[in-house]
Amino acid sequence: MNKDLRGRLTRDGIRIYETEDFAGMHKAGELAARILDGIAEHVFPGQTTGEIDQIITKMVEEAGATSATIGYKGYQHASCISVNHVVCHGIPGDKKLKDGDILNIDVTVIVDGWFGDTSRMFVAGKLPRKAERLIQVTHDALFKGIEMVKPGNTFGDIGHAIQTYVESQRMSVVRDFCGHGLGRVFHAPPNVLHYGRPGTGAVLEEGMFFTIEPMVNLGRPETKTLADDWTAVTRDKSLSAQFEHSVGVTSDGVDIFTLSPGGLFHPTYSS
């Protein structure tokens, strides 16, 4: 059998991977997380997002891995870096970070054919109070969603847990973008919505691999895509934050593939 086609598909088109495939996802996920651990010291006022991306590119190459984003639909960077009101897909460039800027850095690597995809928030300089609360709510919303991952629950349960928590904090969940299946491919079914009704959507089964990556806005949920046909920003220019983990459904719960080796997943954490 073609190793890229191992496992079976559910009626919803979601691939079910084998037990031995978890090891490959851990290896890819650990590298992606380790790269983000290492980039933290390079995020500071005066640094450009382009320089950060160049460092990430070098880290990927030195690890003997491949960037999943370089060449993807014409994209030419090893990361997406989304600053302040940029929701996702921010393109690294020459703009210098200012004190108090918050940014999401999203990295996907390929290791031995497996895709490791993760993102987290960083801050340049001193973290503003309102941004600190947004980052904390977004971080906690991700883990509210992860807590719902176990066989027998549904993808609607994940989205509902995220949405109800975020809205209870008087913030909004972006609806224009979602998580996705992955494994030996970058993007695959299912679409993992970060809002929804409990008990709806496909039922979770052991061996499913996917990302959960809620984007949360301080203002309204609407986004718009800029003229570059890539960068998404909040329509009301409110701050936005995002955290992302790649996970697998186990026999009794969830396995997080992209945990930070240094305990640096949150910008105010330290190793």
Side-chain angles (χ1 to χ4, degrees), residues 8 10 12 14 16 145-159 190-192 200-210 212 247-251 253-254:
R8 64 178 175 86
T10 70
D12 299 293
I14 304 169
I16 305 297
I146 290 174
E147 287 173 5
M148 302 307 295
V149 179
K150 62 181 180 180
N153 278 0
T154 69
F155 283 97
D157 295 332
I158 297 172
N191 288 333
V192 183
T200 63
V203 176
L204 299 174
E205 297 184 41
E206 181 181 0
M208 288 181 174
F209 297 163
F210 52 88
I212 306 176
V247 304
V249 183
T250 66
S251 61
V254 63

PDB file of all heavy atoms in Angstrom, residues 8 10 12 14 16 145-159 190-192 200-210 212 247-251 253-254:
ATOM      1  N   ARG A   8      -7.945   4.223   6.799  1.00  0.00           N
ATOM      2  CA  ARG A   8      -9.194   4.227   6.046  1.00  0.00           C
ATOM      3  C   ARG A   8      -9.829   5.599   6.098  1.00  0.00           C
ATOM      4  O   ARG A   8      -9.414   6.468   6.874  1.00  0.00           O
ATOM      5  CB  ARG A   8     -10.160   3.197   6.656  1.00  0.00           C
ATOM      6  CG  ARG A   8     -10.583   3.508   8.091  1.00  0.00           C
ATOM      7  CD  ARG A   8     -11.580   2.495   8.623  1.00  0.00           C
ATOM      8  NE  ARG A   8     -11.899   2.726  10.018  1.00  0.00           N
ATOM      9  CZ  ARG A   8     -12.845   3.578  10.446  1.00  0.00           C
ATOM     10  NH1 ARG A   8     -13.543   4.285   9.568  1.00  0.00           N
ATOM     11  NH2 ARG A   8     -13.073   3.742  11.740  1.00  0.00           N
ATOM     12  N   THR A  10     -13.414   7.784   6.682  1.00  0.00           N
ATOM     13  CA  THR A  10     -14.783   7.731   7.181  1.00  0.00           C
ATOM     14  C   THR A  10     -15.720   8.187   6.073  1.00  0.00           C
ATOM     15  O   THR A  10     -15.297   8.667   5.022  1.00  0.00           O
ATOM     16  CB  THR A  10     -14.967   8.650   8.395  1.00  0.00           C
ATOM     17  OG1 THR A  10     -14.890  10.028   7.953  1.00  0.00           O
ATOM     18  CG2 THR A  10     -13.891   8.409   9.449  1.00  0.00           C
ATOM     19  N   ASP A  12     -17.310  10.745   6.034  1.00  0.00           N
ATOM     20  CA  ASP A  12     -17.126  12.194   5.888  1.00  0.00           C
ATOM     21  C   ASP A  12     -15.812  12.527   5.196  1.00  0.00           C
ATOM     22  O   ASP A  12     -15.453  13.701   5.079  1.00  0.00           O
ATOM     23  CB  ASP A  12     -17.152  12.865   7.269  1.00  0.00           C
ATOM     24  CG  ASP A  12     -18.475  12.664   7.990  1.00  0.00           C
ATOM     25  OD1 ASP A  12     -19.474  13.213   7.513  1.00  0.00           O
ATOM     26  OD2 ASP A  12     -18.505  11.958   9.014  1.00  0.00           O
ATOM     27  N   ILE A  14     -12.779  11.700   6.241  1.00  0.00           N
ATOM     28  CA  ILE A  14     -11.706  11.943   7.202  1.00  0.00           C
ATOM     29  C   ILE A  14     -10.849  10.686   7.330  1.00  0.00           C
ATOM     30  O   ILE A  14     -11.374   9.599   7.578  1.00  0.00           O
ATOM     31  CB  ILE A  14     -12.286  12.320   8.581  1.00  0.00           C
ATOM     32  CG1 ILE A  14     -13.215  13.547   8.453  1.00  0.00           C
ATOM     33  CG2 ILE A  14     -11.165  12.592   9.572  1.00  0.00           C
ATOM     34  CD1 ILE A  14     -14.034  13.819   9.700  1.00  0.00           C
ATOM     35  N   ILE A  16      -8.484   7.948   8.877  1.00  0.00           N
ATOM     36  CA  ILE A  16      -8.178   7.352  10.168  1.00  0.00           C
ATOM     37  C   ILE A  16      -6.786   6.744  10.072  1.00  0.00           C
ATOM     38  O   ILE A  16      -6.562   5.798   9.307  1.00  0.00           O
ATOM     39  CB  ILE A  16      -9.208   6.263  10.545  1.00  0.00           C
ATOM     40  CG1 ILE A  16     -10.633   6.832  10.505  1.00  0.00           C
ATOM     41  CG2 ILE A  16      -8.883   5.677  11.910  1.00  0.00           C
ATOM     42  CD1 ILE A  16     -10.902   7.935  11.504  1.00  0.00           C
ATOM     43  N   GLY A 145     -11.362  23.751  23.655  1.00  0.00           N
ATOM     44  CA  GLY A 145     -11.662  22.905  22.503  1.00  0.00           C
ATOM     45  C   GLY A 145     -10.961  21.564  22.584  1.00  0.00           C
ATOM     46  O   GLY A 145     -11.562  20.516  22.328  1.00  0.00           O
ATOM     47  N   ILE A 146      -9.685  21.582  22.966  1.00  0.00           N
ATOM     48  CA  ILE A 146      -8.919  20.345  23.063  1.00  0.00           C
ATOM     49  C   ILE A 146      -9.526  19.397  24.095  1.00  0.00           C
ATOM     50  O   ILE A 146      -9.520  18.171  23.917  1.00  0.00           O
ATOM     51  CB  ILE A 146      -7.442  20.657  23.380  1.00  0.00           C
ATOM     52  CG1 ILE A 146      -6.771  21.311  22.157  1.00  0.00           C
ATOM     53  CG2 ILE A 146      -6.682  19.394  23.784  1.00  0.00           C
ATOM     54  CD1 ILE A 146      -5.355  21.787  22.405  1.00  0.00           C
ATOM     55  N   GLU A 147     -10.069  19.954  25.174  1.00  0.00           N
ATOM     56  CA  GLU A 147     -10.691  19.123  26.212  1.00  0.00           C
ATOM     57  C   GLU A 147     -11.863  18.296  25.678  1.00  0.00           C
ATOM     58  O   GLU A 147     -12.211  17.267  26.256  1.00  0.00           O
ATOM     59  CB  GLU A 147     -11.184  20.009  27.361  1.00  0.00           C
ATOM     60  CG  GLU A 147     -10.074  20.561  28.240  1.00  0.00           C
ATOM     61  CD  GLU A 147     -10.591  21.568  29.252  1.00  0.00           C
ATOM     62  OE1 GLU A 147     -11.836  21.761  29.326  1.00  0.00           O
ATOM     63  OE2 GLU A 147      -9.770  22.171  29.959  1.00  0.00           O
ATOM     64  N   MET A 148     -12.438  18.720  24.567  1.00  0.00           N
ATOM     65  CA  MET A 148     -13.586  18.005  24.000  1.00  0.00           C
ATOM     66  C   MET A 148     -13.174  16.889  23.042  1.00  0.00           C
ATOM     67  O   MET A 148     -14.024  16.183  22.504  1.00  0.00           O
ATOM     68  CB  MET A 148     -14.499  18.992  23.261  1.00  0.00           C
ATOM     69  CG  MET A 148     -15.028  20.134  24.131  1.00  0.00           C
ATOM     70  SD  MET A 148     -15.821  19.530  25.642  1.00  0.00           S
ATOM     71  CE  MET A 148     -17.215  18.656  24.954  1.00  0.00           C
ATOM     72  N   VAL A 149     -11.878  16.740  22.806  1.00  0.00           N
ATOM     73  CA  VAL A 149     -11.408  15.747  21.840  1.00  0.00           C
ATOM     74  C   VAL A 149     -11.314  14.375  22.499  1.00  0.00           C
ATOM     75  O   VAL A 149     -10.427  14.117  23.317  1.00  0.00           O
ATOM     76  CB  VAL A 149     -10.042  16.162  21.250  1.00  0.00           C
ATOM     77  CG1 VAL A 149      -9.562  15.093  20.267  1.00  0.00           C
ATOM     78  CG2 VAL A 149     -10.145  17.509  20.552  1.00  0.00           C
ATOM     79  N   LYS A 150     -12.229  13.505  22.141  1.00  0.00           N
ATOM     80  CA  LYS A 150     -12.207  12.102  22.551  1.00  0.00           C
ATOM     81  C   LYS A 150     -13.209  11.349  21.695  1.00  0.00           C
ATOM     82  O   LYS A 150     -14.162  11.943  21.166  1.00  0.00           O
ATOM     83  CB  LYS A 150     -12.549  11.945  24.035  1.00  0.00           C
ATOM     84  CG  LYS A 150     -13.937  12.422  24.423  1.00  0.00           C
ATOM     85  CD  LYS A 150     -14.150  12.235  25.928  1.00  0.00           C
ATOM     86  CE  LYS A 150     -15.535  12.715  26.348  1.00  0.00           C
ATOM     87  NZ  LYS A 150     -15.751  12.550  27.808  1.00  0.00           N
ATOM     88  N   PRO A 151     -13.023  10.061  21.515  1.00  0.00           N
ATOM     89  CA  PRO A 151     -13.942   9.287  20.673  1.00  0.00           C
ATOM     90  C   PRO A 151     -15.383   9.423  21.170  1.00  0.00           C
ATOM     91  O   PRO A 151     -15.647   9.383  22.368  1.00  0.00           O
ATOM     92  CB  PRO A 151     -13.441   7.848  20.834  1.00  0.00           C
ATOM     93  CG  PRO A 151     -12.002   7.986  21.170  1.00  0.00           C
ATOM     94  CD  PRO A 151     -11.916   9.213  22.031  1.00  0.00           C
ATOM     95  N   GLY A 152     -16.286   9.597  20.211  1.00  0.00           N
ATOM     96  CA  GLY A 152     -17.707   9.709  20.538  1.00  0.00           C
ATOM     97  C   GLY A 152     -18.215  11.128  20.589  1.00  0.00           C
ATOM     98  O   GLY A 152     -19.407  11.365  20.384  1.00  0.00           O
ATOM     99  N   ASN A 153     -17.324  12.088  20.888  1.00  0.00           N
ATOM    100  CA  ASN A 153     -17.722  13.490  20.791  1.00  0.00           C
ATOM    101  C   ASN A 153     -17.745  13.899  19.322  1.00  0.00           C
ATOM    102  O   ASN A 153     -17.333  13.141  18.445  1.00  0.00           O
ATOM    103  CB  ASN A 153     -16.765  14.381  21.582  1.00  0.00           C
ATOM    104  CG  ASN A 153     -17.095  14.426  23.066  1.00  0.00           C
ATOM    105  OD1 ASN A 153     -18.053  13.789  23.513  1.00  0.00           O
ATOM    106  ND2 ASN A 153     -16.307  15.158  23.834  1.00  0.00           N
ATOM    107  N   THR A 154     -18.226  15.110  19.052  1.00  0.00           N
ATOM    108  CA  THR A 154     -18.307  15.588  17.673  1.00  0.00           C
ATOM    109  C   THR A 154     -17.472  16.848  17.483  1.00  0.00           C
ATOM    110  O   THR A 154     -17.075  17.503  18.456  1.00  0.00           O
ATOM    111  CB  THR A 154     -19.757  15.907  17.274  1.00  0.00           C
ATOM    112  OG1 THR A 154     -20.195  17.078  17.999  1.00  0.00           O
ATOM    113  CG2 THR A 154     -20.689  14.739  17.565  1.00  0.00           C
ATOM    114  N   PHE A 155     -17.246  17.192  16.218  1.00  0.00           N
ATOM    115  CA  PHE A 155     -16.537  18.439  15.942  1.00  0.00           C
ATOM    116  C   PHE A 155     -17.366  19.640  16.379  1.00  0.00           C
ATOM    117  O   PHE A 155     -16.810  20.686  16.748  1.00  0.00           O
ATOM    118  CB  PHE A 155     -16.163  18.512  14.459  1.00  0.00           C
ATOM    119  CG  PHE A 155     -14.982  17.647  14.124  1.00  0.00           C
ATOM    120  CD1 PHE A 155     -15.157  16.371  13.595  1.00  0.00           C
ATOM    121  CD2 PHE A 155     -13.694  18.082  14.365  1.00  0.00           C
ATOM    122  CE1 PHE A 155     -14.068  15.556  13.308  1.00  0.00           C
ATOM    123  CE2 PHE A 155     -12.596  17.281  14.084  1.00  0.00           C
ATOM    124  CZ  PHE A 155     -12.787  16.015  13.562  1.00  0.00           C
ATOM    125  N   GLY A 156     -18.683  19.504  16.369  1.00  0.00           N
ATOM    126  CA  GLY A 156     -19.529  20.569  16.894  1.00  0.00           C
ATOM    127  C   GLY A 156     -19.301  20.812  18.375  1.00  0.00           C
ATOM    128  O   GLY A 156     -19.412  21.951  18.852  1.00  0.00           O
ATOM    129  N   ASP A 157     -18.979  19.760  19.114  1.00  0.00           N
ATOM    130  CA  ASP A 157     -18.670  19.905  20.536  1.00  0.00           C
ATOM    131  C   ASP A 157     -17.420  20.766  20.734  1.00  0.00           C
ATOM    132  O   ASP A 157     -17.361  21.593  21.654  1.00  0.00           O
ATOM    133  CB  ASP A 157     -18.446  18.530  21.181  1.00  0.00           C
ATOM    134  CG  ASP A 157     -19.689  17.666  21.199  1.00  0.00           C
ATOM    135  OD1 ASP A 157     -20.804  18.220  21.225  1.00  0.00           O
ATOM    136  OD2 ASP A 157     -19.553  16.428  21.187  1.00  0.00           O
ATOM    137  N   ILE A 158     -16.418  20.571  19.867  1.00  0.00           N
ATOM    138  CA  ILE A 158     -15.191  21.367  19.954  1.00  0.00           C
ATOM    139  C   ILE A 158     -15.501  22.840  19.700  1.00  0.00           C
ATOM    140  O   ILE A 158     -15.118  23.720  20.474  1.00  0.00           O
ATOM    141  CB  ILE A 158     -14.148  20.860  18.933  1.00  0.00           C
ATOM    142  CG1 ILE A 158     -13.741  19.420  19.254  1.00  0.00           C
ATOM    143  CG2 ILE A 158     -12.925  21.780  18.906  1.00  0.00           C
ATOM    144  CD1 ILE A 158     -12.863  18.774  18.185  1.00  0.00           C
ATOM    145  N   GLY A 159     -16.204  23.104  18.591  1.00  0.00           N
ATOM    146  CA  GLY A 159     -16.525  24.487  18.240  1.00  0.00           C
ATOM    147  C   GLY A 159     -17.380  25.168  19.282  1.00  0.00           C
ATOM    148  O   GLY A 159     -17.177  26.346  19.603  1.00  0.00           O
ATOM    149  N   PRO A 190     -11.233  16.966   8.203  1.00  0.00           N
ATOM    150  CA  PRO A 190     -12.406  17.844   8.179  1.00  0.00           C
ATOM    151  C   PRO A 190     -12.020  19.316   8.304  1.00  0.00           C
ATOM    152  O   PRO A 190     -10.877  19.634   8.645  1.00  0.00           O
ATOM    153  CB  PRO A 190     -13.140  17.405   9.446  1.00  0.00           C
ATOM    154  CG  PRO A 190     -12.004  17.157  10.409  1.00  0.00           C
ATOM    155  CD  PRO A 190     -10.916  16.517   9.577  1.00  0.00           C
ATOM    156  N   ASN A 191     -12.986  20.201   8.049  1.00  0.00           N
ATOM    157  CA  ASN A 191     -12.866  21.582   8.482  1.00  0.00           C
ATOM    158  C   ASN A 191     -13.231  21.625   9.962  1.00  0.00           C
ATOM    159  O   ASN A 191     -14.300  21.156  10.351  1.00  0.00           O
ATOM    160  CB  ASN A 191     -13.804  22.490   7.692  1.00  0.00           C
ATOM    161  CG  ASN A 191     -13.347  22.679   6.266  1.00  0.00           C
ATOM    162  OD1 ASN A 191     -12.157  22.593   5.963  1.00  0.00           O
ATOM    163  ND2 ASN A 191     -14.287  22.947   5.372  1.00  0.00           N
ATOM    164  N   VAL A 192     -12.329  22.147  10.776  1.00  0.00           N
ATOM    165  CA  VAL A 192     -12.554  22.197  12.224  1.00  0.00           C
ATOM    166  C   VAL A 192     -13.005  23.610  12.591  1.00  0.00           C
ATOM    167  O   VAL A 192     -12.185  24.528  12.741  1.00  0.00           O
ATOM    168  CB  VAL A 192     -11.286  21.798  12.997  1.00  0.00           C
ATOM    169  CG1 VAL A 192     -11.557  21.778  14.503  1.00  0.00           C
ATOM    170  CG2 VAL A 192     -10.778  20.439  12.527  1.00  0.00           C
ATOM    171  N   THR A 200     -23.278  18.138  16.845  1.00  0.00           N
ATOM    172  CA  THR A 200     -23.349  18.244  15.389  1.00  0.00           C
ATOM    173  C   THR A 200     -21.976  17.957  14.776  1.00  0.00           C
ATOM    174  O   THR A 200     -20.952  17.972  15.449  1.00  0.00           O
ATOM    175  CB  THR A 200     -23.809  19.640  14.949  1.00  0.00           C
ATOM    176  OG1 THR A 200     -22.840  20.616  15.385  1.00  0.00           O
ATOM    177  CG2 THR A 200     -25.162  19.980  15.545  1.00  0.00           C
ATOM    178  N   GLY A 201     -21.979  17.697  13.483  1.00  0.00           N
ATOM    179  CA  GLY A 201     -20.733  17.438  12.771  1.00  0.00           C
ATOM    180  C   GLY A 201     -20.306  15.992  12.892  1.00  0.00           C
ATOM    181  O   GLY A 201     -20.964  15.161  13.527  1.00  0.00           O
ATOM    182  N   ALA A 202     -19.183  15.675  12.269  1.00  0.00           N
ATOM    183  CA  ALA A 202     -18.670  14.311  12.265  1.00  0.00           C
ATOM    184  C   ALA A 202     -18.299  13.862  13.680  1.00  0.00           C
ATOM    185  O   ALA A 202     -17.896  14.669  14.517  1.00  0.00           O
ATOM    186  CB  ALA A 202     -17.447  14.212  11.359  1.00  0.00           C
ATOM    187  N   VAL A 203     -18.452  12.577  13.917  1.00  0.00           N
ATOM    188  CA  VAL A 203     -18.104  11.998  15.219  1.00  0.00           C
ATOM    189  C   VAL A 203     -16.603  11.705  15.254  1.00  0.00           C
ATOM    190  O   VAL A 203     -16.031  11.176  14.297  1.00  0.00           O
ATOM    191  CB  VAL A 203     -18.900  10.702  15.472  1.00  0.00           C
ATOM    192  CG1 VAL A 203     -18.467  10.046  16.781  1.00  0.00           C
ATOM    193  CG2 VAL A 203     -20.399  11.014  15.496  1.00  0.00           C
ATOM    194  N   LEU A 204     -15.961  12.059  16.357  1.00  0.00           N
ATOM    195  CA  LEU A 204     -14.533  11.831  16.513  1.00  0.00           C
ATOM    196  C   LEU A 204     -14.237  10.342  16.685  1.00  0.00           C
ATOM    197  O   LEU A 204     -14.940   9.643  17.416  1.00  0.00           O
ATOM    198  CB  LEU A 204     -14.007  12.591  17.727  1.00  0.00           C
ATOM    199  CG  LEU A 204     -14.170  14.118  17.689  1.00  0.00           C
ATOM    200  CD1 LEU A 204     -13.754  14.721  19.011  1.00  0.00           C
ATOM    201  CD2 LEU A 204     -13.360  14.713  16.565  1.00  0.00           C
ATOM    202  N   GLU A 205     -13.198   9.882  16.002  1.00  0.00           N
ATOM    203  CA  GLU A 205     -12.764   8.493  16.105  1.00  0.00           C
ATOM    204  C   GLU A 205     -11.265   8.432  16.362  1.00  0.00           C
ATOM    205  O   GLU A 205     -10.509   9.310  15.926  1.00  0.00           O
ATOM    206  CB  GLU A 205     -13.062   7.738  14.801  1.00  0.00           C
ATOM    207  CG  GLU A 205     -14.520   7.611  14.437  1.00  0.00           C
ATOM    208  CD  GLU A 205     -14.711   6.773  13.182  1.00  0.00           C
ATOM    209  OE1 GLU A 205     -14.010   5.745  13.053  1.00  0.00           O
ATOM    210  OE2 GLU A 205     -15.538   7.159  12.339  1.00  0.00           O
ATOM    211  N   GLU A 206     -10.842   7.398  17.054  1.00  0.00           N
ATOM    212  CA  GLU A 206      -9.416   7.184  17.282  1.00  0.00           C
ATOM    213  C   GLU A 206      -8.687   7.148  15.942  1.00  0.00           C
ATOM    214  O   GLU A 206      -9.132   6.505  14.997  1.00  0.00           O
ATOM    215  CB  GLU A 206      -9.194   5.868  18.034  1.00  0.00           C
ATOM    216  CG  GLU A 206      -7.734   5.580  18.323  1.00  0.00           C
ATOM    217  CD  GLU A 206      -7.526   4.261  19.048  1.00  0.00           C
ATOM    218  OE1 GLU A 206      -8.533   3.565  19.321  1.00  0.00           O
ATOM    219  OE2 GLU A 206      -6.359   3.929  19.340  1.00  0.00           O
ATOM    220  N   GLY A 207      -7.553   7.874  15.868  1.00  0.00           N
ATOM    221  CA  GLY A 207      -6.757   7.899  14.646  1.00  0.00           C
ATOM    222  C   GLY A 207      -6.986   9.114  13.769  1.00  0.00           C
ATOM    223  O   GLY A 207      -6.316   9.263  12.748  1.00  0.00           O
ATOM    224  N   MET A 208      -7.913   9.993  14.139  1.00  0.00           N
ATOM    225  CA  MET A 208      -8.081  11.245  13.397  1.00  0.00           C
ATOM    226  C   MET A 208      -6.996  12.234  13.830  1.00  0.00           C
ATOM    227  O   MET A 208      -6.714  12.384  15.023  1.00  0.00           O
ATOM    228  CB  MET A 208      -9.448  11.864  13.683  1.00  0.00           C
ATOM    229  CG  MET A 208     -10.611  11.142  13.056  1.00  0.00           C
ATOM    230  SD  MET A 208     -12.191  11.989  13.440  1.00  0.00           S
ATOM    231  CE  MET A 208     -13.336  11.027  12.445  1.00  0.00           C
ATOM    232  N   PHE A 209      -6.375  12.917  12.841  1.00  0.00           N
ATOM    233  CA  PHE A 209      -5.382  13.949  13.088  1.00  0.00           C
ATOM    234  C   PHE A 209      -5.916  15.267  12.528  1.00  0.00           C
ATOM    235  O   PHE A 209      -6.357  15.314  11.371  1.00  0.00           O
ATOM    236  CB  PHE A 209      -4.057  13.632  12.380  1.00  0.00           C
ATOM    237  CG  PHE A 209      -3.357  12.380  12.839  1.00  0.00           C
ATOM    238  CD1 PHE A 209      -2.363  11.814  12.042  1.00  0.00           C
ATOM    239  CD2 PHE A 209      -3.655  11.773  14.047  1.00  0.00           C
ATOM    240  CE1 PHE A 209      -1.682  10.667  12.444  1.00  0.00           C
ATOM    241  CE2 PHE A 209      -2.993  10.621  14.467  1.00  0.00           C
ATOM    242  CZ  PHE A 209      -2.003  10.071  13.662  1.00  0.00           C
ATOM    243  N   PHE A 210      -5.837  16.341  13.313  1.00  0.00           N
ATOM    244  CA  PHE A 210      -6.311  17.642  12.831  1.00  0.00           C
ATOM    245  C   PHE A 210      -5.754  18.758  13.695  1.00  0.00           C
ATOM    246  O   PHE A 210      -5.194  18.524  14.771  1.00  0.00           O
ATOM    247  CB  PHE A 210      -7.847  17.699  12.802  1.00  0.00           C
ATOM    248  CG  PHE A 210      -8.517  17.299  14.098  1.00  0.00           C
ATOM    249  CD1 PHE A 210      -8.758  18.222  15.100  1.00  0.00           C
ATOM    250  CD2 PHE A 210      -8.914  15.982  14.310  1.00  0.00           C
ATOM    251  CE1 PHE A 210      -9.370  17.857  16.285  1.00  0.00           C
ATOM    252  CE2 PHE A 210      -9.528  15.596  15.490  1.00  0.00           C
ATOM    253  CZ  PHE A 210      -9.763  16.531  16.486  1.00  0.00           C
ATOM    254  N   ILE A 212      -6.524  22.435  15.743  1.00  0.00           N
ATOM    255  CA  ILE A 212      -7.498  23.342  16.352  1.00  0.00           C
ATOM    256  C   ILE A 212      -6.768  24.665  16.500  1.00  0.00           C
ATOM    257  O   ILE A 212      -5.683  24.714  17.091  1.00  0.00           O
ATOM    258  CB  ILE A 212      -7.997  22.835  17.718  1.00  0.00           C
ATOM    259  CG1 ILE A 212      -8.549  21.406  17.606  1.00  0.00           C
ATOM    260  CG2 ILE A 212      -9.060  23.770  18.277  1.00  0.00           C
ATOM    261  CD1 ILE A 212      -8.978  20.810  18.944  1.00  0.00           C
ATOM    262  N   VAL A 247      -3.350  17.865  16.814  1.00  0.00           N
ATOM    263  CA  VAL A 247      -3.731  16.840  17.783  1.00  0.00           C
ATOM    264  C   VAL A 247      -4.142  15.551  17.079  1.00  0.00           C
ATOM    265  O   VAL A 247      -4.478  15.543  15.895  1.00  0.00           O
ATOM    266  CB  VAL A 247      -4.889  17.320  18.692  1.00  0.00           C
ATOM    267  CG1 VAL A 247      -4.524  18.625  19.383  1.00  0.00           C
ATOM    268  CG2 VAL A 247      -6.187  17.495  17.891  1.00  0.00           C
ATOM    269  N   GLY A 248      -4.142  14.467  17.846  1.00  0.00           N
ATOM    270  CA  GLY A 248      -4.654  13.190  17.370  1.00  0.00           C
ATOM    271  C   GLY A 248      -5.621  12.627  18.379  1.00  0.00           C
ATOM    272  O   GLY A 248      -5.444  12.803  19.599  1.00  0.00           O
ATOM    273  N   VAL A 249      -6.657  11.966  17.897  1.00  0.00           N
ATOM    274  CA  VAL A 249      -7.635  11.342  18.783  1.00  0.00           C
ATOM    275  C   VAL A 249      -7.101   9.973  19.201  1.00  0.00           C
ATOM    276  O   VAL A 249      -6.755   9.145  18.351  1.00  0.00           O
ATOM    277  CB  VAL A 249      -9.007  11.181  18.093  1.00  0.00           C
ATOM    278  CG1 VAL A 249     -10.027  10.605  19.072  1.00  0.00           C
ATOM    279  CG2 VAL A 249      -9.501  12.519  17.527  1.00  0.00           C
ATOM    280  N   THR A 250      -7.014   9.738  20.503  1.00  0.00           N
ATOM    281  CA  THR A 250      -6.552   8.458  21.032  1.00  0.00           C
ATOM    282  C   THR A 250      -7.768   7.603  21.416  1.00  0.00           C
ATOM    283  O   THR A 250      -8.913   8.009  21.225  1.00  0.00           O
ATOM    284  CB  THR A 250      -5.657   8.662  22.254  1.00  0.00           C
ATOM    285  OG1 THR A 250      -6.438   9.217  23.328  1.00  0.00           O
ATOM    286  CG2 THR A 250      -4.502   9.607  21.924  1.00  0.00           C
ATOM    287  N   SER A 251      -7.507   6.432  21.989  1.00  0.00           N
ATOM    288  CA  SER A 251      -8.598   5.534  22.360  1.00  0.00           C
ATOM    289  C   SER A 251      -9.479   6.126  23.456  1.00  0.00           C
ATOM    290  O   SER A 251     -10.658   5.799  23.556  1.00  0.00           O
ATOM    291  CB  SER A 251      -8.038   4.186  22.824  1.00  0.00           C
ATOM    292  OG  SER A 251      -7.205   4.360  23.958  1.00  0.00           O
ATOM    293  N   GLY A 253      -8.974   9.758  24.536  1.00  0.00           N
ATOM    294  CA  GLY A 253      -8.824  11.199  24.672  1.00  0.00           C
ATOM    295  C   GLY A 253      -8.066  11.817  23.522  1.00  0.00           C
ATOM    296  O   GLY A 253      -8.358  11.558  22.359  1.00  0.00           O
ATOM    297  N   VAL A 254      -7.032  12.603  23.865  1.00  0.00           N
ATOM    298  CA  VAL A 254      -6.337  13.402  22.860  1.00  0.00           C
ATOM    299  C   VAL A 254      -4.837  13.350  23.089  1.00  0.00           C
ATOM    300  O   VAL A 254      -4.364  13.282  24.229  1.00  0.00           O
ATOM    301  CB  VAL A 254      -6.843  14.866  22.885  1.00  0.00           C
ATOM    302  CG1 VAL A 254      -6.546  15.528  24.232  1.00  0.00           C
ATOM    303  CG2 VAL A 254      -6.250  15.686  21.759  1.00  0.00           C
TER     304      VAL A 254
END
